[in-house]
Amino acid sequence: MPVVVVVGAQWGDEGKGAMVDTLAEDADIVVRFQGGANAGHTVIYKGKPVALHLIPSGITHEHTVCVIGNGVVVDPKALLDEIESLSSLGISITPERLKISDRAHLTLPYHRMLDAAREMAGSRLRLGTTRRGVGPTYVDKVDRVGIRVGDLKFPERLEAKLRINWEHKQAFFNALPPDERPDFNAVLDELLRYADLLQPYITDTVTWLNEQANAGKRILLEGAQGTGLDVDFGTYPFVTSSNTTAGGACTGSGLPPTKITSVLGIAKAYTTRVGEGPFPTELHGEEQVKLREKGREYGATTGRPRRCGWFDAVLVRYAATVNGCTALALTKLDVLSGYPEVKICVAYRWRGETLTTFPAESFVLEEVEPIYETLPGWDEPLSECRSWEKLPANAQRFVMRLQELVGVPIATVSVGPERSCVLMKPDAPSIW
Ligand code: GDP
Ligand code: IMO
Ligand code: MG
C-alpha cells in the first residue's frame, strides 16, 4: 500500500512535475495537496513541454486518477482554462479522472486583485508573488470567511457566503477607484457558471482517498513550491502561504501520517529562486546569466527569469530533515556539463561564526557568506546517458558528495526533462 510524498527540497522548480510524471507510470492516483495556480509543473507530452498549474502531474497517464486535495486553493477560472487547454492537446479530463475536494478553498477574482495591490503597494511589502491570488485565498481560509469548492454544490447558499466574504473586503474595495471596484452580482453570476461546470468533479476526496489507500492503491502526493518557500520552515516572510513540506501532504489530503510510506525530496543539481528573499549561493552578473541560459531557467507560470546559483547543501540537508526524506531525486545534472569546476555550499560564515544549520531569520541568511567546496567538473554532455554507469566519473563523484553532505540516499539522477532521462542509482532505495 505505497503512499509516496514528493516535495521540493529548495525554492521550487526543482523538476517535481517531471519526476511525478515519471513515477506516475506506476501510480493509481496522483494528488496535489497545497498551493494553487502559483505552481508551474512541466511535463513532456508527445515530445512537447506542458506546464500544469492546478492539475496534478499524473494527468497524461490514462490509467491515473488525479485529485485536487482539500489543501489546495482553486481558482475556478484558471482550472477551467487548464482543463480546456489540456483537452485541446488530446488529454481527456472527465470526472472519473479528476476529483476536486469539496473542502478546497476557492480563489475569487478579487483575491488576485488583492495579491497584485499588495505587490504594488511599496517595496517593504513586496514579495515577488506570482499574483495568482494564492496568499489572499489562504488568508480568508484561516480567517474563516472563505468559500469552498463544496459550496458550489448549493447555489442557493452561495449568495449568502459570498456576501460575508464581500463585507470582509469592503475596506479594500472602497480604496479602489469606483470604476475598478468589482460588482457583487457579476462575481456571483460568474461563480454560479463555474458551479455548473465543476459540479461533476466535486468529491469528498478525504473519504475517497482513504478508501483507495485502504484498498491498496498506489498513491503519489505531489507537493508544489519547495521547502524554502514553506510558510513555517522557509525564509519567512519570503515564502508562499502554505505548508509545502511533507506534513502538508497529510493536512492537505486527509491521508494520515500513518499511511505515508516514503518521502521523496526533489533537488536540482544547483539552486534557483524566483521572487524576493535571501539566496546565499546566488551567482551574479555573467555567471548567473550563464547558468540561467544553460538551465533555461524561466518561470513556468510567470515567465520571470529565475535567480540561479550553486547547490546549497545546508538548505537541502535541512529540507531532508523537516520532510523526513527517505530518498532524494537529483535533477538537471546535465546542466552542469562544461564547467571546469563545480561548487557546493557546505556551510555558511556569519559574523565570524560557521553555521551548519539553516537559520530561522531571513536577515541572517541575507548576511551569510557561503563556504564552498570545489570539485572537478566534466565536459561531456549527459543528455544521452541512459544509465548511472555511463555518467562521467566526475559527475558521479559530485552526486556521491552531495549524497554524503545531505545525508539521504539519492535514488535517481535526471539528465533531461523526459521520462527516459531519469537514471536509477545502483543500491538506491526503491521509491515505491
Ligand atoms: P517544478 O515546478 O518543480 O515541476 O519544475 P518546473 O517544471 O517549474 O521547472 C523544471 C524545468 O526543468 C522544466 O522545464 C522541466 O522540463 C525541466 N527539467 C526537469 N528535469 C530536468 C533535467 O533533469 N534536465 C533538464 N535539462 N531539464 C529538466
Ligand atoms: P512550483 O510548484 C517557484 C514563489 C513566488 C514568490 C513566493 C510567494 O512550480 O515549484 P505566491 O504567489 O505563492 O504567493 O508567491 O513564492 N513561488 C514559486 N517559486 N516555484 C513555484 O512553484 C512557486 N510558487 C510560488 O515567486 O517568491
Ligand atoms: Mg515550477
Side-chain angles (χ1 to χ4, degrees), residues 164-294:
I164 294 171
N165 195 272
W166 199 267
E167 280 166 12
H168 185 262
K169 301 288 174 303
Q170 271 318 298
F172 170 64
F173 294 159
N174 290 341
L176 293 171
D179 60 328
E180 285 179 28
R181 287 180 199 157
D183 175 73
F184 182 86
N185 288 322
V187 174
L188 180 61
D189 285 350
E190 197 178 330
L191 265 184
L192 289 169
R193 243 190 355 265
Y194 298 147
D196 273 347
L197 296 166
L198 293 176
Q199 202 81 253
Y201 301 95
I202 304 174
T203 307
D204 174 0
T205 56
V206 174
T207 303
W208 187 82
L209 276 172
N210 275 284
E211 284 166 1
Q212 300 302 308
N214 291 340
K217 291 290 165 65
R218 297 158 78 86
I219 303 177
L220 268 180
L221 293 158
E222 175 184 8
Q225 291 83 50
T227 303
L229 291 169
D230 183 284
V231 69
D232 283 278
F233 302 113
T235 48
Y236 193 88
F238 303 102
V239 292
T240 192
S241 302
S242 63
N243 283 116
T244 61
T245 43
C250 296
T251 54
S253 69
L255 288 168
T258 44
K259 283 206 165 80
I260 308 290
T261 50
S262 63
V263 179
L264 179 69
I266 316 289
K268 252 186 250 202
Y270 50 97
T271 314
T272 62
R273 165 159 216 170
V274 201
E276 310 296 319
F279 181 177
T281 63
E282 183 172 17
L283 289 166
H284 298 281
E286 276 177 26
E287 281 191 309
Q288 160 140 217
V289 172
K290 176 177 168 185
L291 189 48
R292 180 182 302 136
E293 293 311 316
K294 277 170 79 74

Side-chain angles (χ1 to χ4, degrees), residues 119-153:
E119 285 292 295
M120 291 185 295
S123 60
R124 223 170 40 83
L125 284 176
R126 218 184 113 75
L127 300 171
T129 73
T130 59
R131 303 193 184 192
R132 294 301 186 269
V134 168
T137 311
Y138 279 117
V139 168
D140 279 3
K141 170 178 173 173
V142 177
D143 208 7
R144 295 151 296 178
V145 293
I147 298 183
R148 308 204 296 182
V149 168
D151 294 327
L152 299 176
K153 290 197 298 186

Side-chain angles (χ1 to χ4, degrees), residues 13-18 40-42 300 306 331-332 334-335 414-417:
D13 305 325
E14 297 91 348
K16 298 175 293 294
H41 295 179
T42 315
R306 294 173 181 154
T331 62
K332 300 193 98 163
D334 53 304
V335 174
S414 303
V415 294

